[in-house]
Amino acid sequence: MKEHRPTRPIKTGRTRLTRNGAFLALTLFCGTPLLPSATQAAPPSAAQTTPQKIPADTNGGLGWSAVSDTINRQLEDSSATLKQIFATLNRADANIGSSELDDLAARTQRVQQNTQDALNQIQSYDDITDSYLKILGPKAADNEDSSVTAQRTRLQQNSQAVKSALMRAKLYNLQAQQLNSAVATRRTRLQQAALSERTVSPAAPKFWHALLTERPENRSSLHPGGVLADWMMLLIGGIGSLVLIGVISPFTLKALSRAGARFRTSAENGVKDALANSILAITLNGILCAIFSGIVWLIWSAAALDTEGGPIALTLGESLPVCGFIIGAGLPVFGRKGVLAEGNPGERKALRGVDWMLALSILSLNLLRAFQAQDVFGPTLQTLLEIVFSLGVGLCAIDVFRRLGNQDDTKTFAPTALGLSSLVFGISLVAILLGYVSFAFSLNGWLLSIGTGLAVVVLLGLCWRSVLDHVFESEGRFSVRLHALGLSSRRLTQISVILSGLGNVLLLLLLFSIAQTDGSFSMGDIGNRLKLLFVGNTIHGVKISLDTVVLCVGLVIVAYYLIRQTKHWIRDRFLPTTQLDIGATTSILSIFTYCSWILVGLGILSIAGLSVQNLTWVVSALSVGIGFGLQSIVQNFVSGMILMAERPVRVGDLVEIAGAKGDVKRISIRATDISLGDGSTLIVPNSQFITSSVKNCTTSGSTSVLTLNFKVPSTADLDKVKSLLIEVAAQRPEVLSNPAPSVKVSALSNFNLTMSLSVRIMSARDGGGVQDAILFDVFRRFGAENITLTTA
């Protein structure tokens, strides 16, 4: 038995229960809510007594009795889980690590979500039961039919069972919230205590004396029954896996080179690099080496170690694939025939061995974390190992950036990195000399994890982008097949951009999960934190999590395309077979669109866990606000929704409203910005587009008609004037030939008549320039013909 060591790991002591904690402990271990006073009648708890046999419902077993057993089992499972979590938080040895706290947080989140779902379901049954009881009345009336009395009795029994389950669900949900807060508090306190822990300074003789005196304790871990009893097999397996990775990596890279030669494609600037020199080869080689290292370790641990292998073996099993990925991805970059060797040999020489250095640092970090959690060594030796790790990582970083700074191409980046690494090393050295070794170790471990995670995330992001470029290449095999299915190049580009964005979001979440760790690069710890991001939390009955957000966004996208295709089918296939006019057709399409989006909105609210009861206060606040003068804001808001749904006016249209004419620049939810000809912007409330007349000159990209009026003397040859006007207009390239220009007589007087020249042009925006050109041509042509002509 090892003697108690107060310095490591940190003992936080048994948590004392406050009044809330006493209430939580009592309700958890009793399994029932607190009973009301003796004068009140309390329903029996489902956790203490067997649920009563409720008579069959008259609706064919579709009432409360059909779901009561399932809900009661769900609540009992939640109660058992809460008891386990509470017992773990308040056990005698309060040495709970960060990974165990993450597991407790995930379990608490699941219980909280399950109880919230059960609470919503039970609340619905409670409301329906109360409504029925209000209709039947609390007591039997005179000469009441026996079937009505039996139904009232059955509903009262159901009401008692429902209210009991409702009370339990509320209680367990509250307990889950309290435990979630307790776990968060414990994690914060653990991190603060670890950073503020102070040990004997290594500069003091007392430190080295303690190291010599605890030598038997350190050796005990290596003896049979100790954590490192199989240390020789663990050492051989770890070193052997790393050596095999270094041996196998060049062969996998050559295989990728041969495979990449088959997929070379021609580009505008020549032939693309082979797959071996691309970002895809770097990532694939790293993945293959990671898989190989994991398989080698599994085979070795199964053959040379016990069934479990121990916690140190599990740590090696998680760390070696990461080291394999780093070494495998580093060979195509830092190797003799890598990218840097071909592009900049000086940088390759400066960064030589960085991949192995980084891999060994990650392996050492994870092993030291495992040694600390398992009390493998005494506190002084553990502290010495952490000092060596902190100083070693700092010196390696300084040396790498110093060598890199000697290169001409990297002087702008390397000095900054060298200064930061020197600052971190100085802080770590001062902290170690003052006895704050845990702070220095956590700082260097966290920076090492962040740097490694950033490099991995950037590499995976570039690889994902490269894969999308190869898959959606304009002349690629995959793109050609998708073109045959009817997908345009623009649609394929949109899909590529969306997939690239989703991949970047996932990688950022991965980096955020790495940053949340306490300085370790454990895949299990990172996976648990990433899972917590997707599981999310329930706040005031609203489920807020990434999976819910992704599901809601996906539902909106699918609904958009489904509604649009259905509208096209109704408009182009179904409505032409009817005798409805255009007004009825437009109304049907608008009503269908609005109803569809309302259903989609209700579905999103249901997925998010929102109900009408959650939105009651919002509706009440809006009602009061509208009553106090928000009518115009609400009117513009609704008008903006109509404009965005029906889109009678779109961005880029040339419109005329209230005597102003300009291009629509932006349509917001409250107002629309119109860019005028003088460079100013006219802000028009959306309600004016609904309540007043608007002239849209470019609806759906249609052509525009330009009309010019001329006064012609009655003595002139009218047929010649008409033909000359048509000829002058037809010679302009901006004027469309179909329909051809036309001239009509629009007014008569004693001495002259008015002729109107109408031409069709591509866009109303060209009207001013085309009008000036036609008037100039008419002036010149009619002057040559000695015909007097003026504009009306």
Side-chain angles (χ1 to χ4, degrees):
M1 296 294 293
K2 294 185 179 182
E3 61 179 4
H4 176 67
R5 296 190 299 269
T7 57
R8 189 178 308 274
I10 300 167
K11 308 289 184 177
T12 58
R14 185 180 179 87
T15 305
R16 295 183 179 179
L17 296 176
T18 60
R19 287 187 296 176
N20 292 334
F23 168 78
L24 178 62
L26 180 60
T27 53
L28 276 172
F29 289 99
C30 290
T32 60
L34 293 179
L35 294 176
S37 60
T39 58
Q40 297 177 347
S45 173
Q48 290 180 339
T49 60
T50 303
Q52 297 177 356
K53 183 65 176 180
I54 301 175
D57 293 339
T58 57
N59 56 359
L62 299 179
W64 170 252
S65 60
V67 298
S68 60
D69 293 339
T70 302
I71 292 179
N72 284 329
R73 285 195 300 268
Q74 183 178 354
L75 294 178
E76 290 172 359
D77 294 339
S78 300
S79 176
T81 304
L82 291 175
K83 289 180 182 179
Q84 296 173 2
I85 297 173
F86 184 83
T88 302
L89 288 175
N90 293 271
R91 65 191 182 189
D93 55 331
N95 299 326
I96 301 178
S98 178
S99 58
E100 190 173 0
L101 286 176
D102 291 337
D103 180 67
L104 294 178
R107 294 171 62 188
T108 307
Q109 293 283 354
R110 287 194 295 268
V111 172
Q112 189 174 351
Q113 183 59 46
N114 293 335
T115 53
Q116 184 62 45
D117 295 339
L119 188 61
N120 295 334
Q121 187 176 6
I122 298 171
Q123 187 65 53
S124 301
Y125 281 101
D126 186 51
D127 295 339
I128 295 174
T129 305
D130 290 343
S131 300
Y132 272 113
L133 287 175
K134 288 180 181 179
I135 295 174
L136 296 177
K139 297 181 180 180
D142 296 338
N143 299 324
E144 185 180 66
D145 187 78
S146 59
S147 61
V148 177
T149 304
Q151 187 177 8
R152 181 187 295 105
T153 303
R154 183 164 54 250
L155 286 174
Q156 290 176 348
Q157 294 175 351
N158 284 343
S159 179
Q160 291 180 358
V162 170
K163 291 185 182 300
S164 176
L166 184 63
M167 184 182 299
R168 294 178 61 203
K170 290 181 178 179
L171 176 63
Y172 296 155
N173 188 264
L174 176 62
Q175 293 169 353
Q177 294 177 11
Q178 293 177 349
L179 286 177
N180 193 18
S181 300
V183 171
T185 303
R186 180 68 66 85
R187 181 187 289 112
T188 302
R189 187 166 62 245
L190 181 64
Q191 293 174 353
Q192 293 176 353
L195 293 178
S196 61
E197 182 190 7
R198 186 176 182 181
T199 59
V200 180
S201 173
K206 184 179 178 180
F207 177 85
W208 302 101
H209 180 267
L211 179 63
L212 295 176
T213 55
E214 69 180 16
R215 185 179 302 174
E217 184 179 358
N218 296 329
R219 292 179 178 177
S220 63
S221 299
L222 305 177
H223 294 165
V227 181
L228 292 179
D230 297 331
W231 65 272
M232 182 60 70
M233 295 300 176
L234 294 174
L235 183 63
I236 294 175
I239 296 177
S241 298
L242 293 177
V243 172
L244 288 177
I245 292 172
V247 173
I248 197 66
S249 182
F251 294 99
T252 56
L253 187 59
K254 290 182 180 179
L256 291 173
S257 302
R258 290 192 296 267
R262 303 177 183 178
F263 293 96
R264 293 180 182 179
T265 55
S266 299
E268 295 180 359
N269 298 328
V271 180
K272 292 185 178 180
D273 293 336
L275 185 62
N277 293 330
S278 68
I279 198 69
L280 188 60
I282 298 174
T283 309
L284 290 178
N285 196 59
I287 293 175
L288 289 177
C289 290
I291 296 174
F292 177 78
S293 62
I295 294 175
V296 169
W297 176 255
L298 287 176
I299 296 174
W300 175 259
S301 60
L305 301 177
D306 297 335
T307 305
E308 295 293 335
I312 307 303
L314 294 177
T315 302
L316 286 173
E318 290 183 356
S319 304
L320 287 176
V322 178
C323 297
F325 180 84
I326 295 174
I327 296 172
L331 180 64
V333 179
F334 308 111
R336 295 181 179 179
K337 297 182 180 180
V339 177
L340 292 181
E342 297 180 0
N344 193 335
E347 289 185 5
R348 184 257 169 187
K349 184 179 180 180
L351 296 174
R352 182 175 54 188
V354 171
D355 48 351
W356 282 91
M357 191 183 305
L358 189 61
L360 293 176
S361 299
I362 291 295
L363 181 61
S364 301
L365 175 63
N366 291 341
L367 288 176
L368 287 177
R369 290 290 183 183
F371 292 162
Q372 179 183 0
Q374 299 297 324
D375 288 343
V376 176
F377 301 118
T380 309
L381 180 58
Q382 179 71 30
T383 302
L384 179 61
L385 293 176
E386 293 179 1
I387 292 174
V388 173
F389 172 82
S390 302
L391 297 179
V393 169
L395 291 175
C396 290
I398 292 175
D399 180 64
V400 168
F401 291 124
R402 180 188 59 80
R403 288 184 295 167
L404 193 61
N406 295 329
Q407 306 299 319
D408 297 334
D409 297 337
T410 58
K411 286 186 176 181
T412 57
F413 163 76
T416 304
L418 179 61
L420 292 176
S421 59
S422 301
L423 178 62
V424 173
F425 179 79
I427 294 174
S428 302
L429 182 60
V430 172
I432 290 172
L433 293 177
L434 293 177
Y436 295 99
V437 178
S438 180
F439 171 78
F441 178 69
S442 299
L443 176 63
N444 285 273
W446 187 79
L447 292 177
L448 177 63
S449 300
I450 290 296
T452 306
L454 182 61
V456 172
V457 165
V458 171
L459 178 61
L460 293 178
L462 294 176
C463 177
W464 179 241
R465 182 67 182 178
S466 177
V467 170
L468 293 178
D469 291 340
H470 280 285
V471 170
F472 294 99
E473 194 177 11
S474 59
E475 301 299 332
R477 300 178 182 178
F478 189 74
S479 298
V480 171
R481 294 180 180 179
L482 291 179
H483 285 318
L485 297 177
L487 291 177
S488 61
S489 299
R490 182 175 63 87
R491 189 69 65 190
L492 292 179
T493 304
Q494 291 178 351
I495 296 174
S496 176
V497 172
I498 292 174
L499 292 178
S500 177
L502 291 177
N504 292 334
V505 170
L506 293 177
L507 292 176
L508 288 177
L509 293 178
L510 176 61
L511 182 61
F512 181 74
S513 301
I514 296 173
Q516 277 190 314
T517 60
D518 55 353
S520 63
F521 204 82
S522 173
M523 299 306 297
D525 191 10
I526 296 173
N528 290 332
R529 294 184 182 274
L530 187 63
K531 183 179 180 181
L532 281 178
L533 291 177
F534 281 92
V535 172
N537 196 1
T538 302
I539 303 176
H540 299 296
V542 180
K543 183 181 179 182
I544 301 177
S545 59
L546 292 176
D547 57 347
T548 303
V549 173
V550 172
L551 184 59
C552 292
V553 173
L555 179 61
V556 171
I557 296 175
V558 173
Y560 170 77
Y561 286 101
L562 185 62
I563 292 174
R564 190 180 69 171
Q565 294 298 327
T566 307
K567 280 180 60 179
H568 289 172
W569 181 84
I570 294 175
R571 183 187 60 195
D572 301 334
R573 298 290 300 275
F574 176 72
L575 291 179
T577 62
T578 64
Q579 297 181 354
L580 298 176
D581 56 7
I582 187 172
T585 301
T586 304
S587 299
I588 291 174
L589 292 176
S590 299
I591 292 173
F592 168 76
T593 303
Y594 293 146
C595 293
S596 299
W597 281 113
I598 289 174
L599 292 177
V600 172
L602 293 177
I604 292 175
L605 293 178
S606 177
I607 293 174
L610 286 172
S611 61
V612 179
Q613 295 177 353
N614 298 120
L615 301 178
T616 302
W617 66 275
V618 179
V619 177
S620 302
L622 289 177
S623 301
V624 175
I626 293 173
F628 279 97
L630 296 179
Q631 295 93 337
S632 58
I633 296 178
V634 175
Q635 184 181 10
N636 291 326
F637 178 80
V638 176
S639 300
M641 294 179 63
I642 296 176
L643 287 178
M644 293 180 180
E646 293 186 350
R647 296 193 295 176
V649 177
R650 305 179 183 181
V651 175
D653 288 350
L654 181 65
V655 299
E656 183 176 355
I657 180 173
K661 186 176 182 180
D663 295 326
V664 177
K665 186 177 180 181
R666 185 176 69 94
I667 300 177
S668 63
I669 201 65
R670 189 195 65 84
T672 299
D673 298 344
I674 299 178
S675 179
L676 303 180
D678 58 357
S680 61
T681 300
L682 178 65
I683 301 175
V684 182
N686 289 330
S687 58
Q688 293 192 18
F689 286 91
I690 306 299
T691 58
S692 61
S693 300
V694 181
K695 180 180 180 181
N696 193 335
C697 304
T698 55
T699 303
S700 302
S702 58
T703 58
S704 179
V705 176
L706 176 64
T707 302
L708 302 176
N709 297 321
F710 300 94
K711 288 185 178 181
V712 183
S714 58
T715 57
D717 188 352
L718 299 181
D719 293 334
K720 184 177 181 180
V721 170
K722 180 178 179 180
S723 61
L724 286 176
L725 288 175
I726 294 175
E727 181 182 351
V728 169
Q731 290 177 354
R732 297 303 309 173
E734 301 89 350
V735 177
L736 300 178
S737 58
N738 187 19
S742 61
V743 176
K744 296 181 181 179
V745 178
S746 58
L748 295 173
S749 64
N750 293 331
F751 303 101
N752 52 35
L753 72 161
T754 302
M755 285 188 175
S756 298
L757 172 63
S758 298
V759 296
R760 181 77 67 173
I761 58 179
M762 288 298 299
S763 174
R765 295 186 180 86
D766 303 332
V770 175
Q771 179 178 348
D772 292 342
I774 292 178
L775 289 177
F776 181 77
D777 292 343
V778 167
F779 175 79
R780 184 175 56 185
R781 183 64 183 274
F782 277 76
E785 298 290 339
N786 295 323
I787 300 176
T788 303
L789 197 66
T790 59
T791 57

